[in-house]
Amino acid sequence: MTKRTFGVIGLAVMGENLALNVESRGFPIAVYNRTAAKTEAFMTQRATGKDVVPAYSLEEFVNTLERPRKILVMVKAGKPVDAVIEQLKPLLDEGDMIIDGGNSLYDDTERRTNDLESTGLGFVGMGVSGGEEGALNGPSLMPGGTKAAYQELEPIVTKIAAQVDDGPCVTYIGPRGAGHYVKMVHNGIEYGDMQLIAEAYDLMNNALGLSSDELHEVFTQWNTTDELNSFLIEITADIFTNKDSETDLPLVDSILDAAGQKGTGRWTVVSSLELGVPIPTIYAAVNARVMSAYKDERMAAAKDLTVTTGTYDGDKKAFINKIRDALYCSKMCSYAQGMALLSKASQEFNYELDLAETARIWKGGCIIRAGFLDKIKNAFNENPRLPNLLLAPEFKQTILDRQQAWREVLAVSNTLGIPVPAFSASLDYFDSYRRDRLPQNLTQAQRDYFGAHTYERIDKPRGEFFHTEWMAK
């Protein structure tokens, strides 16, 4: 039997789809799943007629692969990845490579890289975005590891990645855990994006009383604009066309309002706190999902904490346009926060991230793909040291032009008692970032008062610290 070019371990939907993607690009593959029945089902159904060889033990699987072996592991993040690696290690030879394509925590990837490279094995932590469809037809790929390991993989990953006008949606991200770090932040931005869209929907549904048909029309129109054209806006428009088979009412209205999460948004928040980078839009999005899980408490509170509100009685069409502007401004803030976090992590962890390339590979395949990523790419190409995306000329002027509409949307939301935590966090971020003086001078005075933590003065060089005996006798 001819040796296989590539191997895939783990045949859940993402593993199956990536395996079929690789095979469809002309690379013979081998597959293995811990449960033999899953492998058999794959071979008799989706892999029928494909250049795929099944294996029913790891030894058999490893022996079907040409050297240096390239093995993609698609199992649940955490201990299952470690378990597979430990089982593979004694079966592999120097120069063989393991690729973790799951949503692993970057710290775990750093540890695994150090462990495996010390034994002569290669390890790549590769973020994969695009969901089931992207995995099959072309995802955005974020591989981190050694450059040599990436070069071994490059002929394959450049073929299976989504293709856009300026190349495949894959690039060498950086060393060690860089790929999974970038994927983590990508998911944090995704949290923010989804929450912002949900808040726009909530306003139009509850403040303006728009029907699902009308919401479909609005989101469809927004998806034709340069500002909001994106995968998430596109699928949102589609969602409003689906009817519940049991009630014939809009399906979205029958879905319980308790959102799940798998951890990447929370990891992004934790990392931002550790690095000291403000990402309040993403915080708000994570918190909104946490709050949504308190469904029973919220239902009880709705009866006790009643507030007299109403609906918007102004020009609906004009207000929809203001919501669109608020959404775009908030979206810019969410991406600005994510890119600022990547910049700081790059410095802290010596990842040497190329933010323009990062934006480029998100243009296709991934969940946050959007038309305005070209503008982000161009902004960082023009100024690789850009401290914040909001300072790029095009984004700066856009947000200044639309801020009044943004503020009006928040004012109406507050008056009507409709929560818009991500819209609010985004505007607070903008207003805080543009202020040359914040009230933390008082915070520092308080800290010095009760804990002698010292403070700096505005009329002295930075780095000089002072203490006052505030309780004068």
Side-chain angles (χ1 to χ4, degrees):
M1 181 187 69
T2 304
K3 295 283 188 179
R4 309 279 92 188
T5 302
F6 197 77
V8 177
I9 295 176
L11 293 174
V13 175
M14 287 292 287
E16 283 190 1
N17 284 0
L18 283 168
L20 293 173
N21 186 347
V22 172
E23 189 277 340
S24 72
R25 272 39 178 199
F27 302 101
I29 65 169
V31 296
Y32 169 78
N33 195 81
R34 183 173 57 87
T35 306
K38 182 66 176 173
T39 306
E40 291 168 357
F42 178 61
M43 293 305 301
T44 58
Q45 297 170 23
R46 301 187 71 195
T48 300
K50 309 291 185 183
D51 196 357
V52 181
V53 169
Y56 295 94
S57 71
L58 281 176
E59 291 82 359
E60 179 189 3
F61 172 77
V62 167
N63 288 333
T64 65
L65 299 173
E66 67 182 20
R67 296 184 57 193
R69 301 177 180 96
K70 304 173 187 66
I71 299 170
L72 175 64
V73 177
M74 294 298 297
V75 301
K76 187 177 179 181
K79 291 181 180 179
V81 176
D82 287 324
V84 171
I85 289 172
E86 288 305 309
Q87 293 166 18
L88 281 173
K89 280 167 66 174
L91 305 176
L92 300 180
D93 298 299
E94 186 174 349
D96 290 348
M97 183 192 310
I98 298 173
I99 307 127
D100 176 12
N103 273 334
S104 288
L105 180 61
Y106 71 98
D107 281 343
D108 288 340
T109 303
E110 299 269 347
R111 169 177 54 80
R112 291 166 185 150
T113 301
N114 293 334
D115 174 52
L116 289 167
E117 288 185 354
S118 69
T119 68
L121 298 175
F123 186 72
V124 169
M126 183 169 71
V128 179
S129 179
E132 298 173 15
E133 181 183 350
L136 182 63
N137 299 313
S140 174
L141 299 173
M142 293 152 259
T146 65
K147 284 188 177 179
Y150 175 73
Q151 288 166 354
E152 284 285 329
L153 278 179
E154 193 170 23
I156 297 174
V157 294
T158 53
K159 287 286 196 307
I160 69 171
Q163 308 293 316
V164 292
D165 56 353
D166 47 8
C169 291
V170 61
T171 191
Y172 173 64
I173 297 295
R176 308 180 315 280
H180 276 140
Y181 193 94
V182 168
K183 176 55 164 56
M184 177 189 77
V185 175
H186 163 287
N187 285 21
I189 295 171
E190 178 184 309
Y191 272 58
D193 222 346
M194 293 174 71
Q195 177 63 25
L196 291 168
I197 292 170
E199 291 174 16
Y201 149 71
D202 195 14
L203 279 168
M204 290 187 287
N205 187 36
N206 288 300
L208 302 183
L210 267 59
S211 67
S212 286
D213 288 342
E214 291 171 318
L215 288 164
H216 166 71
E217 291 177 8
V218 170
F219 280 99
T220 298
Q221 194 279 323
W222 284 0
N223 197 47
T224 66
T225 65
D226 289 339
E227 298 91 345
L228 294 180
N229 168 252
S230 67
F231 173 72
L232 285 170
I233 293 290
E234 177 186 345
I235 68 168
T236 301
D238 285 347
I239 284 168
F240 291 116
T241 66
N242 279 261
K243 302 290 185 182
D244 183 356
S245 60
E246 296 183 16
T247 65
D248 200 36
L249 297 173
L251 178 57
V252 69
D253 293 340
S254 298
I255 297 175
L256 186 71
D257 55 315
Q261 54 180 311
K262 292 189 175 180
T264 47
R266 172 170 50 83
W267 295 345
T268 306
V269 168
V270 170
S271 180
S272 75
L273 292 171
E274 291 173 342
L275 294 177
V277 178
I279 56 167
T281 307
I282 298 170
Y283 296 170
V286 174
N287 285 334
R289 293 198 190 189
V290 174
M291 177 62 81
S292 76
Y294 286 76
K295 177 64 175 177
D296 292 340
E297 287 187 39
R298 289 189 290 111
M299 290 179 69
K303 298 174 183 177
D304 293 335
L305 303 177
T306 57
V307 177
T308 302
T309 59
T311 57
Y312 183 73
D313 57 5
D315 185 329
K316 283 189 178 183
K317 185 174 182 181
F319 194 63
I320 289 170
N321 289 335
K322 290 175 182 178
I323 294 172
R324 178 201 62 206
D325 289 346
L327 176 57
Y328 185 49
C329 290
S330 299
K331 183 184 180 83
M332 280 190 280
C333 288
S334 183
Y335 278 77
Q337 293 161 30
M339 300 310 270
L341 179 56
L342 288 178
S343 179
K344 183 62 178 290
S346 183
Q347 298 168 27
E348 189 75 15
F349 304 138
N350 297 315
Y351 284 158
E352 298 184 359
L353 301 179
D354 183 333
L355 297 185
E357 265 293 273
T358 300
R360 187 194 68 78
I361 66 169
W362 290 347
K363 286 170 54 179
C366 74
I367 302 301
I368 64 170
R369 61 184 183 265
F372 91 135
L373 280 162
D374 243 337
K375 298 177 182 179
I376 297 177
K377 180 194 75 170
N378 293 337
F380 284 109
N381 271 332
E382 291 171 8
N383 183 4
R385 296 181 179 276
L386 183 67
N388 192 291
L389 197 58
L390 299 182
L391 299 176
E394 182 171 3
F395 291 112
K396 176 179 67 176
Q397 195 56 51
T398 298
I399 208 165
L400 290 173
D401 290 344
R402 302 180 187 210
Q403 63 168 315
Q404 189 56 43
W406 193 9
R407 296 180 191 282
E408 287 181 31
V409 168
L410 264 69
V412 170
S413 302
N414 292 337
T415 300
L416 298 180
I418 296 175
V420 283
F423 275 5
S424 299
S426 299
L427 182 57
D428 287 344
Y429 177 77
F430 171 73
D431 280 336
S432 295
Y433 191 69
R434 69 175 184 81
R435 287 278 299 277
D436 63 352
R437 187 163 174 82
L438 293 170
Q440 273 60 52
N441 54 317
L442 177 58
T443 304
Q444 285 300 88
Q446 292 169 329
R447 294 179 71 241
D448 190 54
Y449 190 114
F450 65 69
H453 292 295
T454 74
Y455 55 85
E456 296 172 278
R457 292 180 57 93
I458 61 174
D459 54 355
K460 303 291 184 182
R462 291 295 301 272
E464 287 188 31
F465 292 89
F466 301 87
H467 170 61
T468 293
E469 293 295 334
W470 296 91
M471 297 176 66
K473 303 299 184 186

